[in-house]
């Protein structure tokens, strides 16, 4: 499963033409904490998993989120 595509789809309306890469920092893309929380809720529902607050505090880049998802859904 390609989590990058799910993240890109979930942020499509927020990116406003900005390129999303694995090393993109959410803050640099203009994704604020509320946008990130919305994305996380969406991913939790789609992937039938739950993330801990401590884990979410460590997410800075798209790669961080993809790695967390990969760890949680295995």
């Amino acid at each position: 499963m390609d989590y990058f595509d799910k993240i890109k789809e979930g942020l499509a309306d927020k990116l406003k033409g900005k390129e999303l890469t694995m090393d993109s920092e959410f803050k640099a893309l203009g994704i604020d904490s509320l946008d990130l929380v919305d994305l996380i809720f969406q991913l939790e529902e789609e992937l039938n998993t739950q993330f801990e607050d401590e884990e979410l505090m460590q997410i800075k880049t798209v790669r961080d989120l993809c790695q967390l998802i990969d760890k949680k859904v295995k």
Side-chain angles (χ1 to χ4, degrees):
M1 180 174 293
D2 191 351
Y3 306 122
F4 177 80
D5 287 339
K6 285 192 173 294
I7 293 167
K8 189 173 184 178
E9 182 181 306
L11 294 175
D13 62 329
K14 305 286 184 202
L15 291 175
K16 300 176 183 149
K18 296 176 187 162
E19 182 182 358
L20 187 71
T21 68
M22 288 293 285
D23 295 316
S24 295
E25 293 185 8
F26 292 108
K27 190 174 188 176
L29 292 169
I31 306 300
D32 64 25
S33 58
L34 291 177
D35 294 331
L36 194 53
V37 167
D38 286 343
L39 174 63
I40 296 298
F41 283 147
Q42 177 184 343
L43 291 169
E44 285 178 331
E45 188 173 299
E46 285 181 28
L47 301 171
N48 196 29
T49 193
Q50 194 165 1
F51 302 106
E52 302 299 323
D53 291 342
E54 296 80 27
E55 295 170 322
L56 298 177
M57 298 301 289
Q58 304 301 317
I59 295 172
K60 305 284 186 249
T61 67
V62 174
R63 184 179 311 278
D64 294 340
L65 182 53
C66 286
Q67 289 173 341
L68 177 60
I69 294 168
D70 193 46
K71 184 174 81 172
K72 291 298 247 187
V73 297
K74 282 191 174 188

